[in-house]
Coordinates of all heavy atoms in Angstrom, one line a residue:
L1 N 3.7 7.9 -0.5 CA 4.7 6.8 -0.5 C 5.5 6.8 -1.8 O 6.8 6.6 -1.7 CB 3.9 5.4 -0.5 CG 4.7 4.1 -0.5 CD1 5.0 3.6 -1.9 CD2 5.9 4.1 0.3
F2 N 4.9 7.1 -3.0 CA 5.7 7.1 -4.2 C 6.9 8.0 -4.1 O 8.0 7.6 -4.5 CB 4.8 7.5 -5.4 CG 5.5 7.6 -6.7 CD1 5.7 6.5 -7.5 CD2 6.0 8.8 -7.1 CE1 6.4 6.5 -8.7 CE2 6.7 8.9 -8.3 CZ 6.9 7.8 -9.1
Y3 N 6.7 9.2 -3.6 CA 7.8 10.2 -3.6 C 8.8 9.9 -2.5 O 10.0 10.1 -2.7 CB 7.2 11.6 -3.5 CG 6.5 12.1 -4.7 CD1 5.2 12.3 -4.8 CD2 7.3 12.3 -5.9 CE1 4.6 12.7 -6.0 CE2 6.7 12.7 -7.1 CZ 5.3 12.9 -7.1 OH 4.7 13.3 -8.3
R4 N 8.3 9.3 -1.4 CA 9.3 9.0 -0.3 C 10.2 7.8 -0.7 O 11.4 7.8 -0.5 CB 8.5 8.6 1.0 CG 7.9 9.8 1.7 CD 7.1 9.3 2.9 NE 8.0 8.7 3.9 CZ 7.5 7.9 4.9 NH1 6.3 7.6 5.0 NH2 8.4 7.4 5.7
Q5 N 9.6 6.8 -1.3 CA 10.4 5.6 -1.7 C 11.3 5.9 -2.8 O 12.4 5.3 -2.9 CB 9.4 4.4 -2.0 CG 8.6 4.6 -3.2 CD 9.3 4.2 -4.5 OE1 10.3 3.5 -4.5 NE2 8.8 4.8 -5.6
R6 N 11.0 6.8 -3.7 CA 11.8 7.1 -4.8 C 13.2 7.6 -4.4 O 14.2 7.5 -5.0 CB 11.2 8.1 -5.7 CG 11.9 8.4 -7.0 CD 11.1 9.3 -7.9 NE 10.9 10.6 -7.3 CZ 10.3 11.6 -8.1 NH1 10.0 11.4 -9.3 NH2 10.1 12.8 -7.5
E7 N 13.2 8.3 -3.2 CA 14.5 8.9 -2.7 C 15.2 8.0 -1.8 O 16.3 8.3 -1.3 CB 14.2 10.2 -2.0 CG 13.4 11.2 -2.9 CD 14.1 11.5 -4.2 OE1 15.3 11.5 -4.2 OE2 13.4 11.7 -5.2
A8 N 14.6 6.8 -1.4 CA 15.2 5.9 -0.5 C 15.9 4.8 -1.2 O 15.7 4.6 -2.4 CB 14.1 5.3 0.4
G9 N 16.7 4.0 -0.5 CA 17.3 2.8 -1.1 C 16.3 1.7 -1.3 O 15.2 1.9 -0.7
V10 N 16.6 0.7 -2.0 CA 15.6 -0.3 -2.3 C 15.0 -1.0 -1.1 O 13.8 -1.1 -0.9 CB 16.2 -1.4 -3.2 CG1 15.2 -2.5 -3.5 CG2 16.6 -0.8 -4.6
E11 N 15.9 -1.3 -0.1 CA 15.4 -2.0 1.1 C 14.5 -1.1 1.9 O 13.4 -1.5 2.3 CB 16.6 -2.5 2.0 CG 16.1 -3.3 3.2 CD 17.3 -3.9 4.0 OE1 18.5 -3.7 3.5 OE2 17.0 -4.6 5.0
A12 N 14.9 0.1 2.1 CA 14.0 1.1 2.8 C 12.7 1.4 2.1 O 11.7 1.5 2.7 CB 14.8 2.4 3.0
A13 N 12.8 1.4 0.7 CA 11.6 1.6 -0.1 C 10.6 0.5 0.1 O 9.4 0.7 0.2 CB 12.0 1.7 -1.6
Y14 N 11.1 -0.8 0.2 CA 10.2 -1.9 0.4 C 9.5 -1.8 1.8 O 8.4 -2.1 2.0 CB 10.9 -3.2 0.2 CG 10.8 -3.7 -1.2 CD1 12.0 -3.9 -1.9 CD2 9.6 -4.0 -1.8 CE1 12.0 -4.4 -3.2 CE2 9.6 -4.5 -3.1 CZ 10.7 -4.7 -3.8 OH 10.7 -5.1 -5.1
Q15 N 10.3 -1.4 2.8 CA 9.8 -1.2 4.1 C 8.7 -0.2 4.1 O 7.6 -0.4 4.7 CB 10.9 -0.9 5.1 CG 11.9 -2.0 5.3 CD 13.1 -1.6 6.2 OE1 13.2 -0.4 6.5 NE2 13.9 -2.5 6.6
L16 N 8.9 1.0 3.5 CA 7.9 2.0 3.5 C 6.7 1.6 2.7 O 5.6 1.9 3.1 CB 8.5 3.3 2.7 CG 9.5 4.1 3.5 CD1 10.2 5.1 2.6 CD2 8.9 4.8 4.7
A17 N 6.9 0.8 1.6 CA 5.8 0.4 0.8 C 4.9 -0.6 1.6 O 3.7 -0.6 1.5 CB 6.3 -0.2 -0.5
A18 N 5.6 -1.5 2.3 CA 4.8 -2.5 3.1 C 4.0 -1.9 4.2 O 2.8 -2.2 4.4 CB 5.8 -3.5 3.7
Q19 N 4.6 -0.9 4.8 CA 3.8 -0.2 5.9 C 2.6 0.6 5.3 O 1.5 0.6 5.9 CB 4.8 0.9 6.6 CG 5.9 0.2 7.4 CD 7.0 1.2 7.8 OE1 6.9 2.4 7.5 NE2 8.0 0.7 8.4
T20 N 2.8 1.2 4.1 CA 1.8 1.9 3.5 C 0.6 1.0 3.1 O -0.6 1.3 3.2 CB 2.3 2.7 2.3 OG1 3.3 3.6 2.7 CG2 1.2 3.4 1.5
M21 N 1.0 -0.2 2.5 CA -0.1 -1.1 2.1 C -0.8 -1.7 3.2 O -2.1 -1.9 3.2 CB 0.6 -2.2 1.2 CG 1.1 -1.8 -0.1 SD 1.2 -3.1 -1.3 CE -0.5 -3.5 -1.7
A22 N -0.1 -1.9 4.3 CA -0.8 -2.5 5.5 C -1.8 -1.4 6.1 O -2.9 -1.7 6.4 CB 0.2 -2.8 6.6
L23 N -1.4 -0.2 6.1 CA -2.2 0.9 6.6 C -3.4 1.1 5.6 O -4.6 1.3 6.0 CB -1.4 2.2 6.7 CG -2.2 3.5 7.1 CD1 -2.8 3.3 8.5 CD2 -1.3 4.7 7.1
N24 N -3.1 1.1 4.3 CA -4.1 1.2 3.3 C -5.2 0.1 3.4 O -6.4 0.4 3.2 CB -3.5 1.2 1.9 CG -4.4 1.7 0.8 OD1 -3.9 1.9 -0.3 ND2 -5.7 1.9 1.0
M25 N -4.7 -1.1 3.7 CA -5.7 -2.2 3.8 C -6.7 -2.0 4.9 O -7.8 -2.6 4.9 CB -4.9 -3.5 4.0 CG -5.6 -4.8 3.7 SD -6.2 -4.8 2.0 CE -7.9 -5.6 2.2
M26 N -6.4 -1.2 5.9 CA -7.3 -1.0 7.0 C -8.4 0.1 6.6 O -9.3 0.3 7.4 CB -6.6 -0.5 8.2 CG -5.6 -1.6 8.8 SD -6.3 -3.2 9.0 CE -7.5 -2.9 10.3
D27 N -8.2 0.8 5.5 CA -9.1 1.8 5.1 C -10.4 1.2 4.6 O -10.4 0.1 3.9 CB -8.5 2.7 4.0 CG -9.4 3.9 3.6 OD1 -9.4 4.8 4.4 OD2 -10.0 3.8 2.6
P28 N -11.6 1.8 4.9 CA -12.9 1.2 4.5 C -13.0 1.0 3.0 O -13.6 0.0 2.5 CB -13.9 2.2 5.0 CG -13.2 2.9 6.2 CD -11.8 2.9 5.8
A29 N -12.4 1.9 2.2 CA -12.4 1.7 0.8 C -11.7 0.5 0.3 O -12.2 -0.2 -0.6 CB -11.9 3.0 0.1
A30 N -10.6 0.2 0.9 CA -9.8 -1.0 0.6 C -10.6 -2.3 1.0 O -10.6 -3.3 0.3 CB -8.4 -1.0 1.2
Q31 N -11.2 -2.2 2.2 CA -12.0 -3.3 2.7 C -13.1 -3.6 1.7 O -13.4 -4.8 1.4 CB -12.5 -3.0 4.1 CG -11.4 -2.9 5.2 CD -10.9 -4.2 5.6 OE1 -11.6 -5.2 5.7 NE2 -9.5 -4.2 5.8
E32 N -13.8 -2.6 1.3 CA -14.9 -2.7 0.3 C -14.4 -3.3 -1.0 O -15.0 -4.2 -1.6 CB -15.6 -1.4 0.1 CG -16.5 -1.3 -1.1 CD -17.6 -2.4 -1.1 OE1 -18.0 -3.0 0.0 OE2 -18.2 -2.6 -2.2
G33 N -13.2 -2.8 -1.4 CA -12.6 -3.3 -2.7 C -12.3 -4.7 -2.6 O -12.6 -5.5 -3.6
A34 N -11.7 -5.2 -1.5 CA -11.3 -6.6 -1.4 C -12.6 -7.5 -1.3 O -12.6 -8.6 -1.9 CB -10.5 -6.8 -0.1
Q35 N -13.6 -7.0 -0.6 CA -14.8 -7.7 -0.5 C -15.5 -7.8 -1.9 O -16.0 -8.9 -2.3 CB -15.8 -7.0 0.5 CG -17.0 -7.9 0.8 CD -16.7 -9.1 1.6 OE1 -15.7 -9.2 2.3 NE2 -17.5 -10.2 1.4
A36 N -15.5 -6.7 -2.6 CA -16.1 -6.7 -4.0 C -15.3 -7.7 -4.9 O -16.0 -8.4 -5.7 CB -16.0 -5.3 -4.6
F37 N -14.0 -7.8 -4.8 CA -13.2 -8.7 -5.6 C -13.6 -10.1 -5.2 O -13.8 -11.0 -6.1 CB -11.7 -8.5 -5.3 CG -10.9 -9.5 -6.0 CD1 -10.5 -9.3 -7.4 CD2 -10.4 -10.6 -5.4 CE1 -9.7 -10.2 -8.0 CE2 -9.6 -11.5 -6.1 CZ -9.2 -11.3 -7.4
A38 N -13.8 -10.4 -3.9 CA -14.1 -11.8 -3.5 C -15.5 -12.2 -4.0 O -15.8 -13.3 -4.3 CB -14.1 -11.9 -2.0
E39 N -16.4 -11.2 -4.0 CA -17.8 -11.4 -4.4 C -18.0 -11.2 -5.9 O -19.2 -11.3 -6.4 CB -18.7 -10.5 -3.7 CG -18.7 -10.8 -2.1 CD -19.5 -9.8 -1.3 OE1 -20.2 -8.9 -1.9 OE2 -19.6 -10.0 -0.1
K40 N -17.0 -10.9 -6.7 CA -17.0 -10.7 -8.1 C -18.0 -9.7 -8.5 O -18.9 -9.9 -9.4 CB -17.3 -12.1 -8.8 CG -16.2 -13.1 -8.6 CD -16.5 -14.4 -9.3 CE -15.4 -15.4 -9.1 NZ -15.7 -16.7 -9.8

């Protein structure tokens, strides 16, 4: 995402970044990280 968004305009970069974060959030590691944050 970092290299793709760097070559895009700001609006397109935000779209790419939002898609990447949504996809990342579905990964088990991100799920565990969010749960760990909630449980301190």
Side-chain angles (χ1 to χ4, degrees):
L1 177 277
F2 178 84
Y3 289 113
R4 287 178 64 197
Q5 65 82 23
R6 186 174 62 173
E7 305 305 326
V10 175
E11 185 174 0
Y14 271 118
Q15 291 173 351
L16 288 169
Q19 292 166 4
T20 300
M21 290 200 74
L23 179 62
N24 193 170
M25 196 60 218
M26 300 307 296
D27 185 77
Q31 293 286 322
E32 164 61 15
Q35 189 66 31
F37 178 81
E39 296 174 2
K40 298 182 179 179

